[in-house]
Structure formats: structure tokens, C-alpha cells
Amino acid sequence: MELGLIGLGRMGANMARRLTQAGHTVIGYTRQPEKAEALVKEGAIARGVTAFSNLVNALAKPRTFWLMLPAATVDATLHELVPLLDADDIVIDGGNSYYVDDIRRAAQLKVKGIEYVDCGTSGGIWGAERGYCLMIGGKVATVNRLHPIFAALAPGVVAATRTPGRVTRVGTVEQGYLHCGSHGAGHFVKMVHNGIEYGIMAAYAEGLNILHYANIGKQAHAVDAETTPLRNPEFYHYDFNLADIAEVWRRGSVISSWLLDLTATALLKDPQLNGFDGHVSDSGEGRWTLIAAVEEGVPAPVLSSALYSRFSSRGQADFADKLLSALRYEFGGHVETYRSGSGGK
């Protein structure tokens, strides 16, 4: 198949590579000509363009366009692209858009006879090698037209052993892609997927942080009215090698996962994580997951805690912390104390 791929960033470029290797023809759009030239030279795309008109003209009708862009830029991109399209063309949003926006966009494009598909795409920068888990929303007939594209991007049955009880391979789920439902369904599933990801990452981070400070009993401690004493410092004299612990957990542990694999890799490269400031971004899915949880009346304390932890990492709790300190001073004359967070590691 031919595909117009809009967005040749870290994931988009790797997707182009995987599609081209599978025999599809990819025309790539980017605002950076040098990036397109490099990918053409590499053989990752057949041609690179920097204008939507050139992209549209390069593809045979009916055309398929895959947007791999930040969610905040999708509407502006569609505003430029859609007037150039014809009925029966397909637009796929493979980024991390809010599923509510998918429902609106699908309705707007339907008026013009243009098909819209939302495709939650998981795989990160490793997707070219490992393949991408795809969660798809849209009309059945439209999704069926795109099976060759999805099959090329997905990891295939070799990505995981068969779940006990699955006797026959019905549908595409064991290939690594799934038509989840109508418009918005793909991004709804991906939204919750990323909310879970926040929680898993936070659990690894918090657990390893406890291990990181397990030698706190070796340190000198202030003795004053403002500091809770460490009652049994002799219980905290462990100097753990966190890279080794993550490594051993990868083998036979019930908490093993690809995220744990990546944790082990990160700690091996930089045991103290000195290359990072701990400023953790969130791209929206965790927030939207909690909105859905609230509106559904479904408790999600782990996912909400993980999201709020990210807010705190960016200094969004600083004012609240200062107010807590100010209140302690106002009602009890308590002065602030500070202890280094080095952990002796």
C-alpha cells in the first residue's frame, strides 16, 4: 500500500522504516527538508515532501494519511490538509489524541466523505525493532482496508506466548493490533494504557527509592524537636546495588516487564541517574484517564497518585509545601529544617 506519513519524529521515522521494510510505499511529510532527505537516502521513505499539496498529489486515490504528531497540533494540521482531500480518503491519527476529539473529528470529516481512524500506538523508540501495539477505533469497513498497514507495524504472534485457553487465532489480537470499537475507542484504550503505565513506572520508582535509602542508618541525624528520630538506625545499613536488583528481578520475578527491562538498562548506564533532574512530564493521557474514572464513578487511587507525583516533580507542589511550612510556623513556631537527600549513594 501507499501511505502518506505526516510527522517523521522519533516514532514516525521508525514506523516509516518498518512499513518500508514490509514492502509498503511511504511518502513522508516534514517541515524539515534535511530530515526527509536523510530518510530518503537511508531508504526509510520513498520520497519526502514539505508541502501538503505535494503529499496529496504523490499518492494514488483513494489515499491514506497517517498523522504521527503531538495531540495539540492535530486540529491545525487537519485544517490545512482536509481541504485538499477527496471523498473516500482516509486519515489516521496515530498520536495520543483525546478520544473526545476523535469523535468530533470523525463527524466533521464524515460530512466530506473522508474516513477517520484513531489508532493508539504503543512501542516508543523501540517500535522499529519490536513492532507496535495498535489500538484502533473507526468503522469496520475502513479498518479492514487498512489491515496490511496495521499488520506491518504490529509485532506479530512471536511477540508473546499464547495465553492458555486461546485455542484458535481468531481476529488480529494475537498479531498485536485490535479494532477496539467505533471512533474514539482506540484512543480511549490507549489513554487507559498510558494511565496504567504511569502507575507501573511510579511503583518501580518508589520501590527502588526505598532501596536507595536503605543505608540511612549509617548517616548522622539531627536531634531536635523538628525531626522525627530514626528509632532503629541499625536496621538500615544496606548498600544495595540497584542495577543488580533490577537485573535479578527481570529473571523469574512476578514483577518482570519490559518497563523493568528498561529500568535495568537505565540503572546500568547511570546508577545514580545523574543525567536526569527528575522533571517528569505528562502528555495528557493520565489526566484523561482520571477524568473518565471520575465520570464513570470508578476508583483509581494508584493512577491518580502516579499522575499527581508527576505534577509534584515539576515543582507544582512547591507553593503548597511552603504553605504547610508557614502554617507549622504560625501555630507552633516550628522552623524549617533541611536534610540532604543524597542517601549516601
Side-chain angles (χ1 to χ4, degrees):
M1 289 183 66
E2 286 187 339
L3 179 74
L5 182 57
I6 300 173
L8 299 174
R10 290 171 297 183
M11 285 187 67
N14 279 342
M15 291 169 65
R17 293 181 178 101
R18 192 168 177 90
L19 288 165
T20 298
Q21 289 168 4
H24 298 288
T25 300
V26 179
I27 310 298
Y29 169 89
T30 176
R31 298 184 187 275
Q32 301 171 282
E34 65 281 1
K35 180 177 290 186
E37 291 169 7
L39 289 171
V40 170
K41 185 176 181 180
E42 176 191 329
I45 59 176
R47 179 182 170 190
V49 298
T50 56
F52 286 134
S53 57
N54 293 337
L55 178 64
V56 171
N57 292 333
L59 299 170
K61 299 180 183 180
R63 296 162 293 215
T64 299
F65 303 88
W66 187 302
L67 277 60
M68 208 63 200
L69 300 169
T73 67
V74 171
D75 279 332
T77 299
L78 291 176
H79 181 74
E80 292 185 56
L81 177 65
V82 169
L84 305 175
L85 305 187
D86 297 316
D88 211 31
D89 286 345
I90 300 174
V91 174
I92 308 165
D93 180 2
N96 284 326
S97 288
Y98 190 24
Y99 78 97
V100 173
D101 292 331
D102 293 319
I103 296 170
R104 169 179 55 80
R105 291 166 185 156
Q108 291 171 340
L109 295 185
K110 182 180 179 180
V111 174
K112 299 177 176 289
I114 300 168
E115 301 294 337
Y116 181 86
V117 172
D118 52 283
C119 183
T121 307
S122 180
I125 60 174
W126 294 91
E129 174 186 342
R130 292 168 51 96
Y132 299 89
C133 175
L134 305 175
M135 296 144 272
I136 306 158
K139 290 169 55 177
V140 172
T142 306
V143 172
N144 287 343
R145 283 171 56 184
L146 298 169
H147 275 297
I149 296 295
F150 297 140
L153 289 170
V157 296
V158 298
T161 57
R162 173 168 283 184
T163 299
R166 279 192 176 270
V167 180
T168 58
R169 289 193 171 96
V170 178
T172 64
V173 64
E174 289 188 308
Q175 298 288 332
Y177 66 101
L178 176 66
H179 182 201
C180 300
S182 59
H183 296 115
H187 277 147
F188 193 105
V189 174
K190 178 57 161 50
M191 171 186 79
V192 177
H193 165 285
N194 282 27
I196 293 170
E197 176 187 300
Y198 284 21
I200 295 172
M201 292 170 67
Y204 285 138
E206 291 177 13
L208 286 163
N209 198 37
I210 293 170
L211 293 172
H212 178 76
Y213 284 100
N215 69 348
I216 195 170
K218 296 181 178 182
Q219 302 174 30
H221 297 275
V223 179
D224 56 51
E226 305 301 326
T227 307
T228 302
L230 183 61
R231 296 185 58 170
N232 297 103
E234 67 275 15
F235 294 165
Y236 299 94
H237 281 216
Y238 301 111
D239 293 302
F240 290 122
N241 184 316
L242 300 189
D244 283 354
I245 289 172
E247 191 66 32
V248 76
W249 282 350
R250 295 181 60 224
R251 290 166 167 79
S253 165
V254 297
I255 63 167
S256 61
S257 71
W258 186 43
L259 286 173
L260 182 60
D261 296 344
L262 298 178
T263 300
T265 298
L267 290 171
L268 183 63
K269 290 178 180 177
D270 185 359
Q272 304 305 316
L273 302 178
N274 292 323
F276 301 91
D277 293 327
H279 182 285
V280 188
S281 299
D282 75 287
S283 53
E285 298 89 342
R287 304 183 188 206
W288 302 332
T289 299
L290 294 186
I291 291 172
V294 169
E295 294 185 343
E296 293 174 6
V298 174
V302 172
L303 306 191
S304 61
S305 178
L307 177 63
Y308 292 142
S309 177
R310 293 192 177 203
F311 295 165
S312 182
S313 79
R314 304 198 298 265
Q316 297 298 93
D318 287 357
F319 182 80
D321 292 341
K322 289 178 181 179
L323 183 57
L324 290 173
S325 188
L327 287 171
R328 291 187 79 247
Y329 179 78
E330 290 297 328
F331 71 67
H334 300 286
V335 296
E336 292 183 330
T337 60
Y338 175 77
R339 180 181 63 83
S340 171
S342 68
K345 300 280 183 155

